[in-house]
Short mmCIF file of all heavy atoms in Angstrom, two decimals:
data_model
loop_
_atom_site.label_atom_id
_atom_site.label_comp_id
_atom_site.label_asym_id
_atom_site.label_seq_id
_atom_site.Cartn_x
_atom_site.Cartn_y
_atom_site.Cartn_z
N VAL Y 287 7.67 9.30 -28.66
CA VAL Y 287 9.07 9.38 -29.05
C VAL Y 287 9.56 7.97 -29.28
O VAL Y 287 9.83 7.23 -28.33
CB VAL Y 287 9.94 10.06 -27.96
CG1 VAL Y 287 11.39 10.17 -28.44
CG2 VAL Y 287 9.38 11.42 -27.60
N ARG Y 288 9.68 7.58 -30.53
CA ARG Y 288 10.05 6.19 -30.84
C ARG Y 288 11.04 6.13 -31.99
O ARG Y 288 11.05 6.97 -32.89
CB ARG Y 288 8.81 5.39 -31.25
CG ARG Y 288 7.81 5.16 -30.14
CD ARG Y 288 8.34 4.23 -29.07
NE ARG Y 288 7.32 3.91 -28.10
CZ ARG Y 288 6.47 2.88 -28.22
NH1 ARG Y 288 6.53 2.09 -29.26
NH2 ARG Y 288 5.58 2.65 -27.28
N GLY Y 289 11.86 5.07 -31.98
CA GLY Y 289 12.69 4.73 -33.13
C GLY Y 289 13.94 5.57 -33.24
O GLY Y 289 14.24 6.43 -32.43
N GLY Y 290 14.70 5.33 -34.29
CA GLY Y 290 15.95 6.04 -34.52
C GLY Y 290 17.15 5.18 -34.19
O GLY Y 290 17.17 4.46 -33.22
N LYS Y 291 18.15 5.25 -35.06
CA LYS Y 291 19.35 4.46 -34.86
C LYS Y 291 20.29 5.19 -33.92
O LYS Y 291 20.33 6.42 -33.86
CB LYS Y 291 20.04 4.21 -36.19
CG LYS Y 291 19.21 3.36 -37.15
CD LYS Y 291 19.95 3.16 -38.46
CE LYS Y 291 19.13 2.30 -39.42
NZ LYS Y 291 19.82 2.11 -40.71
N GLY Y 292 21.09 4.43 -33.20
CA GLY Y 292 22.05 5.03 -32.29
C GLY Y 292 23.39 5.17 -32.97
O GLY Y 292 24.15 4.22 -33.08
N VAL Y 293 23.70 6.34 -33.49
CA VAL Y 293 24.96 6.56 -34.17
C VAL Y 293 25.53 7.91 -33.77
O VAL Y 293 24.80 8.83 -33.44
CB VAL Y 293 24.79 6.52 -35.71
CG1 VAL Y 293 24.41 5.12 -36.16
CG2 VAL Y 293 23.76 7.53 -36.19
N ARG Y 294 26.82 8.02 -33.84
CA ARG Y 294 27.45 9.32 -33.68
C ARG Y 294 27.69 9.92 -35.05
O ARG Y 294 27.78 9.21 -36.05
CB ARG Y 294 28.81 9.16 -32.97
CG ARG Y 294 28.69 8.86 -31.51
CD ARG Y 294 30.02 9.02 -30.82
NE ARG Y 294 30.92 7.91 -31.12
CZ ARG Y 294 32.22 7.93 -30.91
NH1 ARG Y 294 32.80 9.01 -30.42
NH2 ARG Y 294 32.97 6.90 -31.18
N GLY Y 295 27.82 11.23 -35.09
CA GLY Y 295 28.21 11.86 -36.34
C GLY Y 295 29.55 11.30 -36.79
O GLY Y 295 30.50 11.19 -36.01
N ALA Y 296 29.66 10.92 -38.04
CA ALA Y 296 30.86 10.24 -38.54
C ALA Y 296 32.11 11.09 -38.33
O ALA Y 296 33.16 10.58 -37.93
CB ALA Y 296 30.68 9.91 -40.02
N ALA Y 297 32.01 12.39 -38.59
CA ALA Y 297 33.18 13.25 -38.45
C ALA Y 297 33.63 13.33 -37.00
O ALA Y 297 34.83 13.25 -36.69
CB ALA Y 297 32.88 14.64 -38.99
N ALA Y 298 32.66 13.48 -36.10
CA ALA Y 298 33.00 13.57 -34.67
C ALA Y 298 33.60 12.28 -34.18
O ALA Y 298 34.57 12.27 -33.42
CB ALA Y 298 31.76 13.94 -33.87
N ALA Y 299 33.03 11.16 -34.61
CA ALA Y 299 33.55 9.87 -34.18
C ALA Y 299 34.97 9.66 -34.68
O ALA Y 299 35.84 9.18 -33.95
CB ALA Y 299 32.64 8.75 -34.69
N ALA Y 300 35.20 10.02 -35.94
CA ALA Y 300 36.53 9.84 -36.52
C ALA Y 300 37.56 10.71 -35.82
O ALA Y 300 38.72 10.32 -35.66
CB ALA Y 300 36.49 10.17 -38.00
N ALA Y 301 37.12 11.88 -35.38
CA ALA Y 301 38.04 12.79 -34.71
C ALA Y 301 38.19 12.48 -33.22
O ALA Y 301 38.98 13.10 -32.53
CB ALA Y 301 37.55 14.23 -34.88
N GLY Y 302 37.40 11.51 -32.73
CA GLY Y 302 37.46 11.14 -31.32
C GLY Y 302 36.92 12.21 -30.40
O GLY Y 302 37.29 12.31 -29.24
N LYS Y 303 35.99 13.02 -30.90
CA LYS Y 303 35.45 14.13 -30.13
C LYS Y 303 34.08 13.85 -29.54
O LYS Y 303 33.41 14.75 -29.06
CB LYS Y 303 35.39 15.39 -30.99
CG LYS Y 303 36.76 15.88 -31.44
CD LYS Y 303 36.62 17.13 -32.29
CE LYS Y 303 37.99 17.63 -32.74
NZ LYS Y 303 37.86 18.84 -33.59
N GLY Y 304 33.65 12.61 -29.57
CA GLY Y 304 32.35 12.29 -29.00
C GLY Y 304 31.22 12.57 -29.97
O GLY Y 304 31.45 12.81 -31.16
N PRO Y 305 29.99 12.55 -29.51
CA PRO Y 305 28.84 12.63 -30.39
C PRO Y 305 28.62 14.03 -30.96
O PRO Y 305 28.87 15.02 -30.29
CB PRO Y 305 27.67 12.23 -29.50
CG PRO Y 305 28.13 12.58 -28.12
CD PRO Y 305 29.61 12.35 -28.11
N ALA Y 306 28.21 14.08 -32.19
CA ALA Y 306 27.80 15.35 -32.78
C ALA Y 306 26.40 15.68 -32.28
O ALA Y 306 25.54 14.82 -32.23
CB ALA Y 306 27.81 15.25 -34.31
N ALA Y 307 26.19 16.94 -31.91
CA ALA Y 307 24.92 17.33 -31.31
C ALA Y 307 23.74 16.98 -32.20
O ALA Y 307 22.70 16.53 -31.74
CB ALA Y 307 24.92 18.82 -31.00
N ALA Y 308 23.90 17.16 -33.51
CA ALA Y 308 22.79 16.91 -34.42
C ALA Y 308 22.42 15.44 -34.48
O ALA Y 308 21.32 15.08 -34.90
CB ALA Y 308 23.13 17.42 -35.81
N ALA Y 309 23.35 14.56 -34.09
CA ALA Y 309 23.10 13.12 -34.18
C ALA Y 309 22.46 12.55 -32.94
O ALA Y 309 22.05 11.39 -32.93
CB ALA Y 309 24.42 12.39 -34.45
N LEU Y 310 22.36 13.35 -31.88
CA LEU Y 310 21.88 12.82 -30.61
C LEU Y 310 20.36 12.65 -30.62
O LEU Y 310 19.64 13.45 -31.20
CB LEU Y 310 22.28 13.73 -29.46
CG LEU Y 310 23.78 13.81 -29.20
CD1 LEU Y 310 24.07 14.77 -28.05
CD2 LEU Y 310 24.37 12.45 -28.90
N PRO Y 311 19.88 11.61 -29.95
CA PRO Y 311 18.43 11.39 -29.89
C PRO Y 311 17.75 12.36 -28.94
O PRO Y 311 18.40 13.05 -28.16
CB PRO Y 311 18.33 9.95 -29.37
CG PRO Y 311 19.56 9.79 -28.55
CD PRO Y 311 20.64 10.57 -29.25
N GLN Y 312 16.42 12.38 -29.01
CA GLN Y 312 15.64 13.20 -28.09
C GLN Y 312 15.77 12.64 -26.68
O GLN Y 312 15.88 11.44 -26.48
CB GLN Y 312 14.17 13.20 -28.52
CG GLN Y 312 13.29 14.13 -27.72
CD GLN Y 312 11.90 14.26 -28.31
OE1 GLN Y 312 11.70 14.03 -29.49
NE2 GLN Y 312 10.93 14.63 -27.48
N GLY Y 313 15.72 13.52 -25.68
CA GLY Y 313 15.86 13.09 -24.29
C GLY Y 313 17.21 13.50 -23.74
O GLY Y 313 18.16 13.79 -24.47
N LEU Y 314 17.31 13.54 -22.42
CA LEU Y 314 18.56 13.94 -21.77
C LEU Y 314 19.62 12.86 -21.92
O LEU Y 314 19.34 11.67 -21.78
CB LEU Y 314 18.31 14.22 -20.29
CG LEU Y 314 17.29 15.33 -19.96
CD1 LEU Y 314 17.20 15.52 -18.45
CD2 LEU Y 314 17.66 16.64 -20.64
N GLY Y 315 20.83 13.28 -22.19
CA GLY Y 315 21.96 12.37 -22.29
C GLY Y 315 22.89 12.51 -21.10
O GLY Y 315 22.67 13.34 -20.20
N PRO Y 316 23.96 11.72 -21.06
CA PRO Y 316 24.89 11.78 -19.93
C PRO Y 316 25.45 13.18 -19.66
O PRO Y 316 25.56 13.59 -18.50
CB PRO Y 316 26.00 10.80 -20.34
CG PRO Y 316 25.32 9.84 -21.25
CD PRO Y 316 24.31 10.64 -22.01
N ALA Y 317 25.81 13.91 -20.73
CA ALA Y 317 26.37 15.24 -20.52
C ALA Y 317 25.34 16.17 -19.87
O ALA Y 317 25.69 17.00 -19.01
CB ALA Y 317 26.85 15.82 -21.85
#
Side-chain angles (χ1 to χ4, degrees):
V287 182
R288 293 291 186 89
K291 296 180 179 179
V293 294
R294 286 192 285 164
K303 296 180 180 179
L310 294 179
Q312 186 171 337
L314 300 182

